[in-house]
């Protein structure tokens, strides 16, 4: 493309050259040996047996309304929840519609009951279907974990083979979608491309649209399962096509002989050479990252998926909305902010001044703290170990020294200890993605690919939920109560 190559295209093209240089420098024995994820990243404390949440919390609450002097009985479930509509009966007079729960950001609202993922933010616990994330990252594969999330149990050897085959058989993307991707601007953000492509899948699969085939369509297990393997199979292919668009290169057809993560790297780097095989250690590292990002309970994007699905919309539109939520810098774009922060700090010597700036609210510290975790994010521990494994292959990123020193300084500072600010999953993951050669704008896509498994698990669960209703939250109206229309000639200018 000459000297005027777009910076994003240059980054995408440069990735292949960088990996080629690193991998060609390895001895053949090193290339063939799989990455060994040392069990030492799973700390004894994090895997210690924690008592389950107490059951049989059922009972009742007596609410005394001091405004009226009335007493109300509110039932409490076995899980320690109350039905929010029970509060509507607490009223003072005729036009009082009853108590509403004002909960911006849903800090303490549970709109669903789910058996998919368990998080204890105070203990630093993350489990998929009861399995500690540390064990799955050490021993499992992404597709095995995806099966677990979707169907509740780890597959047998036969089930896993059938599952992997089914996903690979649906990895090809309609040419029409690839044409749309190629027609997008060269500097189009890959997350924008992914949102558009996932949504467009709905048009190419009208057989999966309840609006066209009837509201009972998804009652069929066969129909559900077909959409699941379609999405999981096509997600990395679409993502690879979006990445190659950055580099000004055409999409590469997927391979049916490689693992899920190997196939993704193959599509990125093979240049159409069918004999190309990605570095197995990097593929394993990516697989571990996919496992860590596969599911995280009712986060913003998963909630969006369930919210959209509650309307009965097709699964592709629901997932496109979820990916759109993940696009936000407060959600899927956080690890890019970490890299920017570490680059701005630049060296270990500047960390004290940076931390003082954070305390004085003059600087923002990315990658620390979490909406759920009040202790070390268990995924961050795994990723920190994984980073060292990746750097042993592709070379050590100088920013890792800044990151480690920043973590050490913050965790020994009373200011951060008191506020329970610990590294989260984004603190080290961006460093790994950059080391493997991905440009920062592609980082959210690397979260979206595996998170499809979590989205689909929640979509599937919602279809069988007897309590499921179309989601329609209440609001607290604060506007003008009543006014009447005025002719245009009688109105004054208002400035708001």
């Amino acid at each position: 493309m000459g000297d005027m190559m777009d910076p994003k295209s240059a980054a995408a093209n440069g990735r292949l050259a960088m990996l080629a240089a690193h991998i060609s420098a390895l001895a053949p024995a090193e290339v063939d040996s799989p990455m060994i994820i040392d069990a030492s990243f799973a700390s004894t404390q994090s895997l210690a047996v924690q008592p389950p949440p107490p059951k049989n919390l059922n009972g009742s609450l007596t609410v005394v309304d001091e405004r009226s002097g009335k007493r109300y009985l509110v039932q409490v479930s076995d899980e320690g929840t109350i039905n929010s509509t029970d509060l509507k009966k607490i009223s003072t007079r005729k036009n009082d519609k009853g108590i509403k729960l004002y909960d911006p950001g849903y800090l303490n609202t549970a709109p669903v009951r789910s058996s998919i993922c368990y998080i204890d933010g105070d203990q630093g616990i993350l489990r998929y279907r009861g399995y500690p994330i540390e064990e799955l990252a050490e021993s499992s594969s992404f597709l095995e974990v995806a099966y677990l999330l979707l169907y509740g149990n780890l597959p047998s050897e036969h089930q896993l083979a059938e599952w992997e085959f089914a996903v690979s058989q649906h990895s090809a993307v309609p040419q029409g979608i690839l044409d749309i991707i190629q027609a997008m601007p060269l500097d189009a953000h890959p997350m924008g491309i992914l949102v558009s492509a996932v949504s467009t899948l709905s048009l190419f699969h009208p057989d999966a649209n309840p609006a066209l085939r009837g509201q009972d369509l998804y009652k069929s297990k066969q129909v559900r399962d077909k959409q699941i393997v379609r999405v999981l199979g096509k997600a990395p292919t679409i993502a690879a096509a979006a990445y190659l668009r950055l580099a000004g290169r055409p999409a590469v057809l997927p391979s049916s002989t490689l693992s899920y993560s190997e196939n993704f790297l193959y599509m990125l780097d093979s240049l159409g050479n069918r004999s190309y095989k990605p570095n197995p250690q990097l593929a394993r590292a990516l697989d571990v990252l996919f496992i860590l990002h596969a599911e995280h309970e009712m986060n913003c994007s998963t909630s969006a998926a369930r919210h959209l699905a509650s309307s009965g919309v097709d699964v592709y539109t629901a997932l496109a909305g979820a990916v759109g939520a993940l696009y936000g810098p407060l959600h899927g774009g956080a690890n890019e902010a970490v890299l920017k922060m570490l680059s701005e700090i630049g060296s270990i010597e500047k960390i004290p001044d940076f931390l003082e700036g954070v305390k004085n609210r003059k600087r923002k510290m990315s990658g620390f703290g979490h909406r759920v975790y009040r202790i070390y994010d268990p995924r961050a521990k795994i990723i920190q170990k994984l980073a060292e494994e990746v750097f042993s292959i592709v070379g050590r990123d100088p920013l890792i020294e800044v990151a480690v020193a920043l973590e050490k300084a913050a965790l020994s500072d009373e200011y951060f200890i008191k506020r329970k600010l610990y590294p989260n999953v984004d603190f080290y993951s961006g460093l790994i993605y950059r080391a493997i050669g991905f440009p920062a704008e592609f980082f959210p896509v690397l979260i979206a690919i595996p998170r499809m498994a979590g989205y689909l698990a929640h979509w599937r669960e919602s279809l069988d939920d007897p309590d499921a209703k179309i989601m329609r939250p209440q609001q607290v109206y604060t506007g003008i109560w009543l006014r009447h229309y005025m002719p245009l000639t009688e109105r004054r200018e208002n400035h708001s």
Side-chain angles (χ1 to χ4, degrees):
M1 297 184 184
D3 295 334
M4 300 301 292
M5 181 181 290
D6 180 85
K8 294 181 180 180
S9 302
N13 276 319
R15 175 179 178 276
L16 185 58
M18 183 212 62
L19 287 180
H22 285 306
I23 294 173
S24 64
L26 295 174
E30 292 178 293
V31 175
D32 294 334
S33 59
M35 172 170 283
I36 299 174
I37 307 299
D38 193 336
S40 63
F41 62 57
S43 69
T44 304
Q45 182 180 3
S46 65
L47 291 181
V49 177
Q50 299 289 341
K55 293 291 184 182
N56 301 321
L57 296 175
N58 63 306
S60 61
L61 298 177
T62 299
V63 179
V64 179
D65 189 346
E66 293 186 355
R67 301 170 301 173
S68 63
K70 294 181 180 179
R71 297 166 65 90
Y72 300 88
L73 203 63
V74 178
Q75 296 300 316
V76 181
S77 72
D78 287 346
E79 293 90 358
T81 63
I82 64 170
N83 192 327
S84 62
T85 56
D86 286 347
L87 300 181
K88 294 179 69 174
K89 62 187 178 184
I90 303 177
S91 176
T92 59
R93 51 189 175 273
K94 184 177 179 180
N95 291 327
D96 183 352
K97 303 298 183 181
I99 295 290
K100 294 179 182 177
L101 295 176
Y102 180 61
D103 189 11
Y106 300 127
L107 295 179
N108 194 37
T109 298
V112 301
R113 300 172 77 247
S114 179
S115 61
I116 298 169
C117 178
Y118 175 75
I119 298 174
D120 185 330
D122 295 324
Q123 298 292 334
I125 294 173
L126 172 60
R127 294 176 187 155
Y128 295 168
R129 300 284 191 180
Y131 290 93
I133 189 63
E134 295 87 351
E135 293 183 14
L136 294 173
E138 179 186 347
S139 304
S140 192
S141 68
F142 169 70
L143 280 185
E144 187 176 54
V145 167
Y147 186 99
L148 167 68
L149 291 170
L150 281 152
Y151 300 108
N153 292 293
L154 289 170
S156 67
E157 187 175 359
H158 175 68
Q159 287 173 322
L160 181 59
E162 284 193 335
W163 170 246
E164 291 173 338
F165 178 76
V167 171
S168 70
Q169 289 299 294
H170 287 86
S171 58
V173 172
Q175 184 60 43
I177 290 181
L178 296 178
D179 292 340
I180 291 172
I181 292 174
Q182 286 299 312
M184 289 184 178
L186 189 62
D187 61 349
H189 196 287
M191 278 296 278
I193 295 176
L194 184 61
V195 172
S196 301
V198 172
S199 176
T200 306
L201 281 173
S202 172
L203 304 178
F204 284 86
H205 299 296
D207 59 305
N209 194 336
L212 302 176
R213 297 292 187 266
Q215 293 185 26
D216 293 338
L217 178 65
Y218 290 147
K219 288 184 178 180
S220 165
K221 181 181 183 300
Q222 183 179 8
V223 171
R224 291 189 204 183
D225 289 347
K226 189 171 185 178
Q227 311 326 308
I228 288 170
V229 293
R230 273 177 173 171
V231 171
L232 290 178
K234 296 180 190 329
T237 308
I238 292 172
Y243 175 88
L244 293 172
R245 179 61 183 151
L246 285 176
R249 306 204 307 266
V252 173
L253 292 175
S255 170
S256 61
T257 61
L258 299 173
S259 72
Y260 196 81
S261 298
E262 284 178 330
N263 180 49
F264 178 57
L265 293 176
Y266 164 82
M267 288 186 287
L268 298 182
D269 302 330
S270 68
L271 297 176
N273 178 3
R274 302 300 288 182
S275 63
Y276 175 84
K277 188 170 183 180
N279 179 281
Q281 294 172 292
L282 294 181
R284 174 57 185 160
L286 188 61
D287 213 52
V288 172
L289 289 169
F290 279 1
I291 291 171
L292 299 180
H293 284 122
E295 162 63 3
H296 209 235
E297 204 214 49
M298 287 291 288
N299 56 76
C300 177
S301 55
T302 301
S303 300
R306 292 192 77 137
H307 200 125
L308 287 163
S310 73
S311 75
V313 75
D314 68 274
V315 63
Y316 303 103
T317 301
L319 295 186
V323 176
L326 188 65
Y327 193 174
L330 297 181
H331 194 4
N335 48 20
E336 183 177 349
V338 172
L339 274 185
K340 183 178 180 181
M341 175 192 71
L342 294 175
S343 297
E344 289 176 351
I345 295 173
S347 65
I348 296 174
E349 292 74 21
K350 295 181 180 179
I351 288 176
D353 288 342
F354 172 78
L355 292 180
E356 285 303 313
V358 173
K359 296 175 189 179
N360 296 328
R361 299 183 180 275
K362 295 180 180 179
R363 305 291 296 273
K364 184 176 180 181
M365 192 168 184
S366 301
F368 271 69
H370 194 276
R371 173 74 170 266
V372 174
Y373 296 110
R374 295 296 177 265
I375 197 171
Y376 213 109
D377 185 335
R379 299 168 299 172
K381 293 181 180 180
I382 299 170
I383 288 179
Q384 183 180 17
K385 174 64 179 177
L386 191 62
E388 295 296 340
E389 299 274 3
V390 171
F391 295 153
S392 70
I393 304 170
V394 301
R396 192 170 181 83
D397 190 320
L399 287 184
I400 188 64
E401 308 296 348
V402 179
V404 171
L406 178 61
E407 175 189 345
K408 183 178 180 180
L411 295 186
S412 60
D413 191 305
E414 185 62 28
Y415 177 90
F416 299 97
I417 296 172
K418 183 179 179 180
R419 289 163 175 75
K420 297 182 179 180
L421 297 176
Y422 296 87
N424 59 40
V425 69
D426 300 307
F427 190 65
Y428 287 105
S429 60
L431 289 170
I432 297 180
Y433 292 142
R434 189 170 85 155
I436 298 177
F438 290 107
E441 60 269 22
F442 201 74
F443 292 174
V445 176
L446 297 169
I447 300 174
I449 295 171
R451 188 59 60 87
M452 292 295 180
Y455 296 156
L456 288 166
H458 282 271
W459 170 74
R460 185 176 182 274
E461 184 179 64
S462 71
L463 297 175
D464 292 327
D465 185 354
D467 295 330
K469 299 176 178 64
I470 185 170
M471 290 192 182
R472 206 299 187 185
Q474 292 281 341
Q475 68 166 15
V476 178
Y477 178 70
T478 61
I480 297 173
W481 180 246
L482 177 66
R483 50 184 166 178
H484 298 288
Y485 183 84
M486 294 177 63
L488 180 61
T489 56
E490 298 178 15
R491 295 178 216 158
R492 298 178 180 178
E493 288 189 8
N494 293 297
H495 301 282
S496 56

